[in-house]
Amino acid sequence: MAHAENHPVSRAGGRRRAAALGCLLLAGSLALTGCSSKDSKPSAKTPANRAGAAGNSTSAPSATATASSTAGTVTAASLSDAQLGYTITTIPTGLDVKRVAILQDFVAYDQMSWKLWVGGGQDTSKVPTVTTGNLQQQLLDDAANLKNKGQKAKTPVKVAISEVAMSADGQSATVSYCVDMTQVTYVDAQGKDVTEPTNKARIPAKNTMVPGSNGHWLASEEEETGEPNTCKVG
């Protein structure tokens, strides 16, 4: 679930949370060094660099004074999904129309990825509508793996979105957030709780979004994540 080379979570390279959760479910650990390195990306291609983000990519995004419960016509509550057990606690303020649209499309992607885990990989129909590139195929592969093994995640999960940053050319954006998985549990095919204490963590993360042909922004890069428990969710 970052590209720093000094802590275990980052050594496998940048990856989206779904891949990290796959390691949690299959290996029962946040030590992602045990995951396949095929998801790794060269640091020059990380979402933070592509979007022109300032600072070290290992810094933990967190809910700050610039984040609140409203942004334009959307609110944290309107972006949440009570049925899924997915709650957004904070979103950035002062977003223009374009970045509000990116925020909404990121949430659509993030909720879809959680629905895959909660549903045991059964329904992948929405994957092509919110993702593109290698990430799309990776999600489909992960869903198939979950389905075959009969594994599932159980929410609630909380997300604090701290920033939606456009790239200099306007052709990509980085969404920075903190995902609180301290209440998420994992079960095997027999319904047995296989959650490890180390799985319960708050993870700082970033995703790259790019324009899609359907007018929506699509998640295009594997999630880049930082050191567990270095961010906050209100």
Side-chain angles (χ1 to χ4, degrees):
M1 241 180 64
H3 280 288
E5 297 179 356
N6 297 323
H7 56 78
V9 173
S10 65
R11 292 175 190 158
R15 65 185 72 234
R16 55 187 174 73
R17 187 183 62 259
L21 279 175
C23 295
L24 296 182
L25 287 168
L26 301 177
S29 172
L30 272 172
L32 299 187
T33 51
C35 302
S36 169
S37 61
K38 68 182 179 67
D39 292 328
S40 62
K41 298 287 185 182
S43 59
K45 296 182 180 179
T46 66
N49 289 333
R50 290 186 54 182
N56 192 303
S57 63
T58 63
S59 60
S62 62
T64 67
T66 62
S68 72
S69 61
T70 63
T73 58
V74 300
T75 66
S78 71
L79 293 171
S80 300
D81 186 332
Q83 184 175 359
L84 177 61
Y86 177 99
T87 301
I88 292 184
T89 61
T90 54
I91 56 179
T93 59
L95 298 181
D96 55 24
V97 173
K98 188 173 188 178
R99 288 188 293 163
V100 167
I102 293 169
L103 172 66
Q104 291 174 303
D105 289 339
F106 164 75
V107 172
Y109 154 72
D110 201 38
Q111 289 183 354
M112 181 280 303
S113 67
W114 276 103
K115 288 175 182 177
L116 281 181
W117 291 104
V118 171
Q122 297 292 327
D123 184 5
T124 59
S125 62
K126 299 295 184 182
V127 173
T129 68
V130 294
T131 62
T132 188
N134 292 336
L135 175 57
Q136 183 176 121
Q137 187 57 54
Q138 186 67 55
L139 275 176
L140 294 173
D141 292 344
D142 289 343
N145 192 39
L146 274 177
K147 186 176 180 180
N148 290 338
K149 294 180 177 296
Q151 296 171 319
K152 294 181 180 180
K154 292 187 176 182
T155 51
V157 61
K158 294 181 180 180
V159 180
I161 301 174
S162 56
E163 184 180 37
V164 179
M166 296 297 304
S167 63
D169 61 7
Q171 293 305 302
S172 67
T174 299
V175 179
S176 300
Y177 56 101
C178 179
V179 55
D180 184 343
M181 298 190 296
T182 57
Q183 297 182 67
V184 176
T185 57
Y186 308 93
V187 296
D188 61 17
Q190 288 71 46
K192 179 183 177 181
D193 189 333
V194 293
T195 309
E196 293 288 336
T198 51
N199 292 355
K200 293 181 174 293
R202 298 180 308 278
I203 308 294
K206 297 179 181 181
N207 271 96
T208 295
M209 307 290 291
V210 297
S213 59
N214 61 356
H216 286 282
W217 288 73
L218 307 175
S220 67
E221 297 282 348
E222 295 157 347
E223 184 176 86
E224 177 192 350
T225 61
E227 187 76 33
N229 299 318
T230 56
C231 63
K232 297 179 180 180
V233 173

